[in-house]
Amino acid sequence: MAKSKIKVAYIVSTLKKSGPTNQLLNIVSNLDLNVFQPIVITLSPEPAESLLKEFKRAEVTLYTLDLSRWSGVVFGLKKLRKLISTAKPDLLHTQGIRSDILASYLDKPHICTIRNYLQLDYPMTYGKLVGSVMTKCHIAFLKRIDVIAACSKSVSRNLLLSGVNSNAVQNGVNTKLYYPLSSAGKEQLRLHLGLPVDKQIFISTGHLTRRKDPLTVLRAFEALSSESTVLLFLGDGDMRAELEKQCSKDSRIIFTGRVINVDEYLKSSDFFVSASRAEGLPNAAIEAMACGLPLIISDIAPHEELFELNQNIGQIFRERDSSSLAEAMEKAMNFDREAAKSNCLTVINEHLSAKVMSQTYQELYVDVVRKIR
């Protein structure tokens, strides 16, 4: 008799286009469908920018509770429990505070993924008071969940400080979308995007917020003596107006706003820069590596974790130190870029691809189910 498939229910707030949703898509897109049957349950209506179509293409069964955040507090658990009793998954996989808390009340084997430093990220995003309450609440509920997966070794170590044991499953990147181009291909793409073909391009992707610290990137770039360089900011946020005002007379600095073709801009660039103050394991950085870009990134623990895989993938600089960043950018322009590119691609293929990440989760699913069957 053939073994029944392992039905995994992924529970999330929405499929909003974001780093965590991209990682979930990477997991389900690489599942062995001979072994696993994925279903995705969302708690709230989909926003305008959603990856719903991409999940449908991945042969995922989709359900939604269609609840607002406030109605979810009142009716969420009841509706979720009813849906789970109908769908009959073998185990639950959640990410995010809402789904982690709700699913912790269900009588099912439960895995959750933590993708950030809770005590840093919540206060930065929601303010000190609310963020601190959210952190304490989330940590308390994590201790009710069977298996915790952290998106990086550094996040796993951080959780341990709060008494939460976890398995480190490093984020992965979709190498079918993010990959390097030849010199000729890069030149053609630059022409298509309206970018200069004769400049060295530093690219910074992500929200223009204080957590990402784009001001340090801007100040460092302005300190560079080279006129043959361009700084490309992809993304939007509450700091954009301030940044544009500060560099209004510097034609080397380009703001694109939010774009849907981040991969094309990465493939067109030469170096990736991030001064971020808090990350889990940064999707932006590993996407850049997959496109062959050397990294120039701040010395926070999740960034340093990438350099633990290979020291020769770029430059590390001191967090919130524009002079240190400017020095790192100068060094990057003078080292063997082809060697750095090769090292980046090796790290991606061996450790940080979507396929590798998904396979690790699949092994975790089998181990959890085996213990209860």
Side-chain angles (χ1 to χ4, degrees), residues 180 186 201-203 265-273 285 287-296 313-314 337 340-341 344-345:
K186 177 182 284 190
I201 297 180
F202 294 88
I203 187 170
Y265 282 94
L266 286 171
K267 292 167 188 173
S268 300
S269 299
D270 298 299
F271 305 97
F272 174 81
V273 186
E287 289 166 358
M289 290 175 69
C291 293
L293 273 61
L295 305 180
I296 308 169
I313 58 173
R337 202 179 306 170
K341 172 183 174 181
C344 285
L345 295 178

Side-chain angles (χ1 to χ4, degrees), residues 97 118-120 122-123 130-140:
I97 186 170
L118 304 179
Q119 73 273 35
L120 290 178
Y122 285 155
V130 173
S132 296
V133 172
M134 290 177 66
T135 299
K136 291 179 181 179
C137 179
H138 203 166
I139 288 172

Side-chain angles (χ1 to χ4, degrees), residues 45 57 68 142 166-167 178 214 246 277 299 345-346 356:
R57 284 197 291 267
S68 68
L142 289 181
S166 62
N167 301 272
Y178 295 94
Q246 178 160 327
R277 297 170 56 192
D299 61 354
L345 295 178
T346 297
V356 169

Side-chain angles (χ1 to χ4, degrees), residues 1-280:
M1 175 183 277
K3 291 184 179 179
S4 60
K5 294 183 181 181
I6 297 173
K7 185 182 289 189
V8 185
Y10 299 92
I11 306 173
V12 293
S13 290
T14 68
L15 298 177
K16 177 184 177 180
K17 188 175 183 180
S18 64
T21 305
N22 278 326
Q23 290 301 329
L24 177 56
L25 181 60
N26 285 340
I27 294 171
V28 300
S29 296
N30 288 278
L31 287 177
D32 182 347
L33 297 181
N34 293 315
V35 179
F36 300 96
Q37 181 182 346
I39 67 172
V40 171
I41 300 170
T42 59
L43 304 179
S44 298
E46 287 303 304
E49 291 190 335
S50 169
L51 294 180
L52 180 65
K53 291 181 180 178
E54 286 79 356
F55 277 86
K56 287 181 178 179
R57 284 197 291 267
E59 299 184 53
V60 175
T61 303
L62 296 159
Y63 301 93
T64 183
L65 301 187
D66 205 29
L67 297 168
S68 68
R69 287 185 176 272
W70 291 112
S71 61
V73 172
V74 179
F75 304 109
L77 181 57
K78 182 179 179 180
K79 292 193 70 172
L80 181 59
R81 183 174 278 135
K82 181 178 180 180
L83 179 54
I84 291 297
S85 68
T86 301
K88 294 182 171 56
D90 296 292
L91 74 158
L92 313 176
H93 187 168
T94 60
Q95 60 182 31
I97 186 170
R98 294 172 66 203
S99 56
D100 289 350
I101 289 175
L102 286 175
S104 72
Y105 286 102
L106 303 176
D107 187 23
K108 289 285 182 180
H110 182 186
I111 297 171
C112 86
T113 298
I114 300 298
R115 301 194 178 279
N116 57 0
Y117 279 50
L118 304 179
Q119 73 273 35
L120 290 178
D121 193 56
Y122 285 155
M124 283 187 186
T125 304
Y126 300 101
K128 187 174 181 180
L129 178 59
V130 173
S132 296
V133 172
M134 290 177 66
T135 299
K136 291 179 181 179
C137 179
H138 203 166
I139 288 172
F141 276 92
L142 289 181
K143 294 177 180 179
R144 297 163 51 113
I145 296 172
D146 301 311
V147 178
I148 312 296
C151 73
S152 67
K153 294 178 182 178
S154 53
V155 167
S156 181
R157 290 191 290 266
N158 181 65
L159 287 170
L160 193 58
L161 297 176
S162 299
V164 177
N165 293 310
S166 62
N167 301 272
V169 183
Q170 292 172 311
N171 281 344
V173 60
N174 179 359
T175 53
K176 295 178 181 177
L177 179 62
Y178 295 94
Y179 54 85
L181 295 179
S182 65
S183 297
K186 177 182 284 190
E187 182 174 330
Q188 284 298 115
L189 190 53
R190 284 191 180 191
L191 290 171
H192 172 70
L193 296 172
L195 299 174
V197 298
D198 58 344
K199 306 286 187 181
Q200 295 189 82
I201 297 180
F202 294 88
I203 187 170
S204 180
T205 65
H207 300 299
L208 300 178
T209 62
R210 279 163 179 75
R211 176 188 165 195
K212 298 293 185 179
D213 195 14
L215 188 57
T216 291
V217 176
L218 180 64
R219 287 171 174 166
F221 182 78
E222 288 179 325
L224 293 182
S225 57
S226 175
E227 290 296 322
S228 63
T229 55
V230 166
L231 175 60
L232 193 58
F233 279 113
L234 261 65
D236 213 338
D238 55 23
M239 290 188 68
R240 180 173 176 177
E242 174 188 347
L243 295 166
E244 289 185 318
K245 182 179 180 180
Q246 178 160 327
C247 65
S248 59
K249 297 181 180 180
D250 194 335
S251 60
R252 300 176 303 158
I253 302 172
I254 301 171
F255 294 84
T256 67
R258 299 187 69 177
V259 298
I260 61 173
N261 55 338
V262 173
D263 62 302
E264 292 186 338
Y265 282 94
L266 286 171
K267 292 167 188 173
S268 300
S269 299
D270 298 299
F271 305 97
F272 174 81
V273 186
S274 173
S276 185
R277 297 170 56 192
E279 295 287 348

Side-chain angles (χ1 to χ4, degrees), residues 336-349:
D336 187 338
R337 202 179 306 170
E338 283 302 311
K341 172 183 174 181
S342 177
N343 292 330
C344 285
L345 295 178
T346 297
V347 168
I348 292 297
N349 291 327

Side-chain angles (χ1 to χ4, degrees), residues 26 30 172-175 352-360 362:
N26 285 340
N30 288 278
V173 60
N174 179 359
T175 53
L352 301 176
S353 72
K355 185 176 181 179
V356 169
M357 176 189 64
S358 182
Q359 183 59 45
T360 304
Q362 291 173 63

